[in-house]
Amino acid sequence: MRLDPFPSLATSYFDWFGLFAPKGTPSDVIGKLNAAAAEALAEPSVRSRLLDLGMEIFPRERQTPEALATLEKADAAKWWPIIKESGIRAE
């Protein structure tokens, strides 16, 4: 159920989505997963559906493990001081 005056959780709090693998996953496996994800994101039907949902699809050069790590670090630098100052804790 969606309450129209309120934005959805996804549009309110998440600017991006990423695909993660466990620490220590071999780089060739990461490469294969990344290639498969990028290929899926290039499919017209997938792109159309994601765009219909209001999602932004990054250009191919930003669909890499390195680009995701950079984005993740930037978001952590942005939000960590706010989380720490407000006393937010995981439950």
Side-chain angles (χ1 to χ4, degrees), residues 11-73:
T11 59
S12 299
Y13 301 102
F14 301 107
D15 293 322
W16 52 267
F17 294 90
L19 181 63
F20 292 83
K23 183 177 182 176
T25 301
S27 60
D28 63 319
V29 173
I30 297 291
K32 288 177 185 176
L33 289 170
N34 181 249
E39 185 178 327
L41 290 172
E43 284 289 322
S45 62
V46 173
R47 293 182 73 78
S48 176
R49 180 66 177 134
L50 292 175
L51 293 171
D52 286 348
L53 292 170
M55 299 179 81
E56 175 186 2
I57 301 171
F58 289 165
R60 180 62 185 104
E61 64 272 7
R62 291 186 59 202
Q63 297 175 18
T64 65
E66 297 79 16
L68 179 58
T70 298
L71 185 61
E72 184 183 19
K73 286 176 188 173

